[in-house]
Amino acid sequence: MSELLLTPEHRYAKVINERRNEDGSELSILNLGPTHPATHGIFQNILLMDGERILDAEPTIGYIHRAFEKIAENRPFYQITPLTDRMNYCSSPINNMAWWMTVEKLLNIEVPKRAQYLRVIVMELARIADHIICNSILGVDTGAYTGFLYVFQFREKIYEIYEEICGARLTTNMGRIGGFEREWSEEAFRKLNVFLEEFPPVWKEFENLFERNRIFIDRTVNVGPITAEKAMQYGFTGPNLRAAGIDYDVRVAQPYSSYEDFDFIVPVGKSGDTYDRFCVRNAEVWESLSIIRQALEKLPEGPYHADVPDYYLPPKEDVYNNMESLIYHFKIVMGEVPVPVAEIYHPVEGGNGELGFYLITDGSRTPYRLHFRRPCFIYYQAYPEMIKGALLSDAIVILSSLNVIAGELDA
Amino acid sequence: MALENTQIQDKLSETFGESVMHFRQEGDMFTFDVAADKITSVILFLKNDETLNFHFLTDLCGIHYPDSDVNEQFAVVYHLHNWIENKRIRIKSFLSGENPEIKTISNIFLSANWMERETYDFYGINFAGHPQLKRILNMDEMVSFPMRKEFPMEDSGRTDKDDRFFGRTPSNC
């Protein structure tokens, strides 16, 4: 046994010493990660292996912990969005919007319908981007590179739309308290329409490549299954829970940002295995596309932000030319705005499940306490149990299909 | 029939008496406090009772209130959710500032395991009976609990920032 890897008092050491095979071979330890190209992020698992088979796993997390909760206690509200970007960086707009909605709930701000619809559009785009990454990388991990190449350019297209909306691509820092910082440009809508036209056939092709593919099915069906009861016990939410057969979706259970105005179904799987997770995400992309189309169709005219001068930064030209705007600008930047004393919890359906912000304020300009309910962090603890008895190559596929995002895991 | 707050309150008061207190509506969530020594039985009751059926632990986290009375300097907050009635509740349990300790609920909800480890990691709240209570996000060698309010975020020796000019007070930075 390698003493470099484990201390003698480690629980694996005992198992290895007790269990020797008849031919004299012994169980081995494999250090998977933290920086392994197949884990797509910084995940370390110390595996106890019997040949190719995994007997036990011990995950270590926190490699990219950046103390966001502590930093958030020292930042005014409008400076917290950049922190939320960096949690689930595959779908940062969802995190941004979730944060603004939390603050708006705290301050009782009514957001205009148009801004709500625009938010829905950008959140669904983010969900598509998130699922594109998860599903295409799952393909790569099972040995099918082609699908990844087909769909990945569309993530780029989505990022271009973000760029038109807010100027940034990955860590978007999009929006303001009460809506958006600017009206969406015509170019943004044009790009969105082009995306809605070009993406569906490619996604259909992607599905055709995988869903009835013999190799893919062999690699994923019955790999890492989890029952509905176990999934609930482990705090699963989002596509991973729905793959196990429970139709819990925050967008339906507790609609926010006018989700109640749209028709969509919540796709569910049955067995909770890797294949079901893949299929649920595929189906969700179609639902997201349909939501975006409905939102574009019904998009009302009106302001793109709420009329809340106390919290919404005025346009720069007004700050230079208008006394009132200058005062508001100064007050907001210096943190002299009124904040109620309250405790609120706001959940949204993130790319991976229920993303919640638990915000406690004490009347000062910063949160007294801000806790992020990060879906990845909560369901990743089921991983050791899910890979028990699986092959090493399955462990990679299971991790991929869970779509654990390191930034969200470690916050 | 939707699950009413009064129904939850009546059931809990009936079963646990004085240990469950301060029922209140905080924002859009029904909230109450539970004495720390009763937390496991209350949560188990909420989970297993047929009408209440709070079967999902949404969130668990700690809070530090250094200015409060010494017996209430830490709080552990539980968010429970009943998906069938779509009802959320928040439970708070206050702990002593000197030796914060509470029983684990990781045997009731498996998902509490890491959330309790996280709370221990950041606040030093001891979850009695937890199968593996060690640091999770910070490194094992760390001796302090960084989310406690007295833990400074920045190097206190910095002279290039004068907080008086930035609307900061000792309480918010």
Side-chain angles (χ1 to χ4, degrees), chain A residues 322-366:
Chain A
N322 182 327
M323 187 65 191
E324 200 190 349
S325 297
L326 177 66
I327 293 170
Y328 277 125
H329 180 95
F330 188 81
K331 280 178 78 174
I332 293 169
V333 173
M334 286 304 177
E336 302 293 324
V337 293
V339 174
V341 180
E343 273 185 39
I344 52 162
Y345 176 79
H346 185 71
V348 304
E349 183 70 24
N352 292 322
E354 179 173 326
L355 172 73
F357 291 87
Y358 177 39
L359 172 66
I360 303 176
T361 53
D362 60 349
S364 74
R365 68 183 208 139
T366 60

Side-chain angles (χ1 to χ4, degrees), chain A residues 85-102:
Chain A
D85 284 339
R86 284 150 182 80
M87 286 205 294
N88 189 341
Y89 39 72
C90 291
S91 54
S92 1
I94 299 185
N95 302 11
N96 297 158
M97 299 301 146
W99 168 244
W100 295 132
M101 283 185 271
T102 312

Side-chain angles (χ1 to χ4, degrees), chain A residues 111-323:
Chain A
V111 180
K113 262 298 194 224
R114 182 180 175 84
Q116 293 191 12
Y117 277 42
L118 292 176
R119 279 180 176 180
V120 167
I121 293 173
V122 77
M123 282 192 284
E124 292 308 319
L125 275 177
R127 195 180 318 284
I128 293 173
D130 188 278
H131 290 358
I132 285 179
I133 295 170
C134 177
N135 276 0
S136 63
I137 297 283
L138 180 61
V140 174
D141 287 340
T142 54
Y145 208 175
T146 321
F148 169 76
L149 290 176
Y150 277 8
V151 296
F152 221 60
Q153 56 169 321
F154 285 94
R155 188 181 78 143
E156 180 66 21
K157 302 258 162 74
I158 292 174
Y159 283 2
E160 280 176 16
I161 299 171
Y162 293 170
E163 210 173 356
E164 288 300 330
I165 297 168
C166 70
R169 292 160 54 82
L170 187 72
T171 47
T172 49
N173 189 16
M174 192 186 281
R176 293 277 183 273
I177 299 174
F180 286 88
E181 67 270 36
R182 73 195 84 167
E183 179 57 274
W184 287 22
S185 65
E186 268 176 40
E187 185 63 12
F189 285 109
R190 194 190 64 79
K191 282 187 170 164
L192 185 58
N193 283 321
V194 171
F195 174 81
L196 286 177
E197 214 163 276
E198 287 178 356
F199 177 64
V202 177
W203 191 249
K204 188 76 219 154
E205 203 173 353
F206 177 79
E207 275 190 350
N208 291 344
L209 274 176
F210 285 93
E211 282 189 346
R212 307 300 303 158
N213 181 318
R214 188 74 248 162
I215 302 170
F216 186 73
I217 288 176
D218 284 349
R219 286 296 307 275
T220 53
V221 170
N222 243 334
V223 169
I226 189 158
T227 60
E229 291 77 28
K230 258 277 149 29
M232 280 203 299
Q233 271 280 310
Y234 272 119
F236 274 51
T237 41
N240 296 333
L241 175 80
R242 293 194 281 272
I246 300 176
D247 62 342
Y248 174 68
D249 187 323
V250 187
R251 291 175 293 175
V252 178
Q254 203 175 328
Y256 49 91
S257 197
S258 293
Y259 265 109
E260 66 275 13
D261 294 1
F262 306 109
D263 274 338
F264 60 100
I265 55 165
V266 179
V268 289
K270 213 170 179 182
S271 62
D273 61 6
T274 302
Y275 183 73
D276 275 15
R277 285 193 281 274
F278 177 85
C279 291
V280 163
R281 285 205 171 82
N282 269 355
E284 273 187 22
V285 167
W286 293 113
E287 293 308 316
S288 295
L289 283 170
S290 138
I291 294 172
I292 295 173
R293 282 205 194 90
Q294 293 174 45
L296 271 181
E297 208 170 282
K298 293 197 258 180
L299 188 65
E301 292 297 318
Y304 57 92
H305 67 86
D307 184 23
V308 277
D310 271 340
Y311 306 101
Y312 186 87
L313 272 175
K316 270 291 172 296
E317 54 272 30
D318 287 1
V319 176
Y320 292 133
N321 298 314
N322 182 327
M323 187 65 191

